[in-house]
Amino acid sequence: MARWSRFNIASIVLGFGFLYLPIVLLVIFSFNESRLVTVWAGFSTKWYGELFRNQALMDAAWVTIRVGVLSATVATVLGTFAALSLVRYRRFRGRLLFSGMVYAPLVMPEVITGLSLLLLFVALGFDRGFWTVTLAHITFSMCFVAVVVQSRLVSFDQSIEEAAMDLGATPVNTFLQVTLPVIAPAVLSGWMLAFTLSLDDLVIASFTSGPGATTLPMKIYSQVRLGVTPEINAACTLLIGIVALGVVVASVISRRRDIQRQKDEQAAFAN
């Protein structure tokens, strides 16, 4: 059994400290009594109350949540179908072009993606607002879902689907009752990733947003240029909490599914 050396322990401590110490400080100073975010004056939760009374930030947060949920849901559906096409249909005309278009947003700079979508919406005569931001987020987050689901489908045992269809199940019923439950953890992980990317996006939303569609990252960025306020620390802390809670819930659901699947396999083997 490998022993922990001082170098390994120091590397882990420094690595995690570099990654998470700024986040910890942000959370701590969100409970600061003073308006000066760099001077600790005692514990207080008053800035969370000020945050909920800040109508501009609340409106931006509501827009962000709606865009995130809608774009993540649509991106998960489209990304799952794209992954199925790439894994199950290995030979069809235009497959190379299709796979390249699916993976392109992964390596495309956000500035180029945002500018190209802006030019597209202007050319089509779309008024920039909630729906243009949602479409833009679907465009760049769908590829992440496709990669996550595809990695699960590669190791999927297709003989299970063949057995279901031999017993009379239609392709649709086979997908809904056999394939989807097995790949559900990957689909849920893809949804969480798409939702987190939507919450985090600033560049693409800046190009495609319009009046009444200011997202929370855009609002925070515009205020930070004038100085960091305790309300911004409180808003960022709540965002961290939402994302962390979502990750924990997804992990628990995935773990329970794995345990239930193992129990079903053991019961089937015993019979």
Side-chain angles (χ1 to χ4, degrees), residues 175-197:
F175 174 76
L176 294 177
Q177 299 180 13
V178 178
T179 308
L180 187 59
V182 175
I183 66 173
V187 175
L188 182 60
S189 299
W191 190 93
M192 283 300 305
L193 179 59
F195 180 70
T196 303
L197 291 171

Side-chain angles (χ1 to χ4, degrees), residues 147-171:
V147 171
V148 173
V149 177
Q150 184 180 5
S151 64
R152 179 64 185 90
L153 286 171
V154 169
S155 60
F156 184 83
D157 187 5
Q158 297 188 31
S159 62
I160 303 176
E161 296 177 330
E162 295 173 357
M165 287 187 286
D166 289 340
L167 294 174
T170 63

Side-chain angles (χ1 to χ4, degrees), residues 190-210:
W191 190 93
M192 283 300 305
L193 179 59
F195 180 70
T196 303
L197 291 171
S198 178
L199 289 181
D200 178 66
D201 177 65
L202 170 65
V203 177
I204 296 177
S206 299
F207 279 98
T208 57
S209 65

Side-chain angles (χ1 to χ4, degrees), residues 1 46 56 65-66 76 83 99 101 120 135 140 145 152 155 166-167 181 187 197 230-232 252 260-261 265:
M1 184 176 180
K46 68 177 184 179
I65 292 174
R66 286 190 297 154
T76 300
S99 61
M101 294 176 66
L120 174 64
L135 290 173
F140 79 83
V145 178
R152 179 64 185 90
S155 60
D166 289 340
L167 294 174
V187 175
L197 291 171
E231 291 95 334
I232 295 178
V252 171
Q260 185 63 39
R261 186 174 68 252
E265 292 176 353

Side-chain angles (χ1 to χ4, degrees), residues 110-127:
E110 290 187 344
V111 173
I112 296 177
T113 303
L115 180 59
S116 60
L117 289 171
L118 171 62
L119 296 176
L120 174 64
F121 294 143
V122 171
L124 295 177
F126 284 176
D127 294 331

Side-chain angles (χ1 to χ4, degrees), residues 12 18 39 41 76 79 87 104 135 146 175 199 219 230 232 234 242-243 245 251 258 268 271:
I12 292 176
F18 179 79
V39 178
T76 300
V87 174
L135 290 173
F175 174 76
L199 289 181
K219 189 66 177 178
I232 295 178
I242 292 173
V243 173
L245 179 62
S251 300
D258 291 339
N271 294 331

Side-chain angles (χ1 to χ4, degrees), residues 16 22 28 41 45 48 61 64 75 83 95 139 141 144 147 165 186 194 206 208 212 241 251 254 261:
F16 278 101
I28 292 174
T45 59
Y48 287 87
T64 301
R95 185 184 189 280
T139 301
S141 61
F144 292 91
V147 171
M165 287 187 286
S206 299
T208 57
S251 300
S254 177
R261 186 174 68 252

